[in-house]
């Protein structure tokens, strides 16, 4: 079986909103519901573990989730201080029969069933994958003083997205390894890489953006409007 861990335990500081960004409305529906519904719809997902912030329990359970039928959400658990700790909490709660784990940012509501499928197929074949897209701009790697260190070839640089998907044992081992070695990663694939296991990139979608700052919400609405029209 395949498990999705959906992360919604951040604080959303860069969004500068009154409430955690996952509960802001996107075309009249909370962002986190958009995200959960894509995973709920995917026939390849068997269970969803939702990781939330302790302070949002009431808001999430009583005011948001209750209104939507999400039968695959089997557990709602508290997150940790850092994203990595939230993932670790999620991993501790997955069904023992789970073979593939997808880890996804609740703040990426425009994920699609196609991306989920590619990630699961990729994880089965390669063990560890991340959704991503080739970069459009040229990237400069800089030094601390702001001068350019070097310019990587554009074709070699990809933007990382989520979902990231793994064989269960690999991601559990990677988090154990990170805890032992005191590694704090900004994504889960990084922990797998540091453990010495190869990660394959699978093609995501430029539209699979992470809602981080207020203008991202405007972009996401525009994308949804455009999709509905077509
Ligand atoms: N996240 C989490 N637990 C944390 C930190 C982040 O579950 N301790 C989740 C967020 O809820 C989000 C995803 O990880 O869905 C990506 O993180 P980010 O976009 O950075 O969200 P926040 O940390 O909430 O925002 P900010 O960094 O602006 O405070
Ligand atoms: Mg953050």
């Amino acid at each position: 079986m395949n498990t999705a861990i959906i992360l919604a335990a951040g604080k959303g500081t860069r969004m500068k909103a009154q409430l955690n960004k996952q509960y802001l409305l996107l075309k009249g529906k909370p962002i986190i519901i958009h995200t959960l519904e894509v995973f709920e719809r995917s026939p390849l997902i068997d269970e969803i573990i939702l990781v939330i912030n302790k302070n949002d329990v009431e808001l999430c359970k009583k005011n948001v989730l209750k209104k939507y039928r999400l039968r695959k959400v089997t557990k709602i658990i508290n997150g940790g201080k850092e994203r990595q700790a939230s993932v670790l909490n999620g991993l501790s709660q997955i069904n023992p029969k789970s073979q593939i784990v997808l880890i996804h940012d609740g703040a990426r509501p425009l994920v699609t069933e196609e991306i989920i499928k590619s990630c699961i197929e990729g994880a089965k074949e390669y063990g560890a994958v991340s959704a991503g897209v080739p970069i459009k701009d040229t990237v400069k790697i800089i030094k601390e003083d702001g001068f350019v260190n070097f310019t990587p070839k554009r074709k070699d640089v990809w933007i990382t997205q989520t979902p990231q998907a793994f064989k269960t044992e690999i991601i559990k081992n990677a988090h154990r390894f990170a805890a032992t070695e005191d590694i704090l990663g900004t994504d889960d694939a990084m922990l797998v890489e540091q453990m010495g296991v190869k990660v394959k990139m699978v093609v995501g979608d430029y539209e699979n953006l992470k809602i981080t700052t207020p203008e991202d919400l405007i972009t996401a609405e525009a994308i949804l409007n455009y999709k509905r029209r077509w």
Side-chain angles (χ1 to χ4, degrees):
M1 68 183 283
N2 305 322
T3 301
I5 296 175
I6 308 290
L7 300 169
K11 290 204 176 79
T13 30
R14 284 170 288 177
M15 188 54 102
K16 297 190 179 84
Q18 301 284 7
L19 67 166
N20 187 341
K21 63 181 178 182
Q22 340 266 337
Y23 306 104
L24 295 175
L25 299 184
L26 175 59
K27 289 198 72 74
K29 205 191 302 182
I31 290 173
I32 189 67
I33 298 295
H34 282 273
T35 308
L36 289 168
E37 282 182 344
V38 183
F39 284 85
E40 177 81 27
R41 265 199 313 273
S42 166
L44 302 174
I45 299 295
D46 302 294
E47 69 165 350
I48 300 172
I49 313 276
L50 176 60
V51 189
I52 64 170
N53 195 311
K54 239 194 327 220
N55 304 326
D56 296 331
V57 170
E58 197 147 323
L59 173 68
C60 179
K61 288 190 183 169
K62 291 205 183 117
N63 300 319
V64 176
L65 286 178
K66 222 179 139 191
K67 295 189 192 140
Y68 302 88
R69 274 193 46 188
L70 295 159
R71 55 174 191 84
K72 289 185 187 170
V73 179
T74 53
K75 286 182 184 144
I76 300 166
I77 61 167
N78 287 335
K81 193 161 167 275
E82 308 289 347
R83 185 187 183 280
Q84 191 170 319
S86 294
V87 174
L88 193 57
N89 288 0
L91 284 173
S92 72
Q93 298 290 322
I94 64 177
N95 188 307
K97 289 198 196 108
S98 186
Q99 286 156 328
I100 300 288
V101 179
L102 288 92
I103 299 167
H104 184 68
D105 296 327
R108 287 186 196 270
L110 302 183
V111 62
T112 62
E113 286 185 56
E114 292 73 33
I115 302 176
I116 292 172
K117 185 164 181 262
S118 308
C119 286
I120 291 174
E121 283 171 357
K124 281 186 179 156
E125 187 169 352
Y126 305 107
V129 300
S130 173
V133 282
I135 199 134
K136 292 179 183 177
D137 301 314
T138 296
V139 167
K140 302 281 180 197
I141 306 296
I142 60 161
K143 289 184 267 190
E144 259 175 43
D145 58 9
F147 283 96
V148 173
N149 188 359
F150 68 98
T151 306
K153 284 198 186 113
R154 201 165 57 193
K155 69 168 182 55
D156 293 340
V157 185
W158 279 47
I159 300 275
T160 312
Q161 302 181 331
T162 68
Q164 295 186 338
F166 310 92
K167 287 190 174 148
T168 305
E169 271 320 294
I170 292 180
I171 191 62
K172 281 190 168 172
N173 283 341
H175 273 265
R176 246 175 255 138
F177 172 80
T180 321
E181 301 285 319
D182 223 8
I183 298 168
L184 189 63
T186 44
D187 72 344
D188 297 282
M190 190 174 146
L191 308 182
V192 174
E193 292 155 35
Q194 301 247 346
M195 189 172 65
V197 173
K198 278 189 186 172
V199 175
K200 171 94 171 163
M201 296 300 287
V202 301
V203 181
D205 196 320
Y206 288 102
E207 292 179 353
N208 179 24
L209 60 100
K210 181 160 71 70
I211 311 269
T212 309
T213 51
E215 64 274 13
D216 294 330
L217 209 49
I218 299 167
T219 310
E221 270 212 40
I223 292 170
L224 282 176
N225 285 337
Y226 163 87
K227 276 190 169 173
R228 190 164 291 181
R229 201 161 334 130
W230 296 101

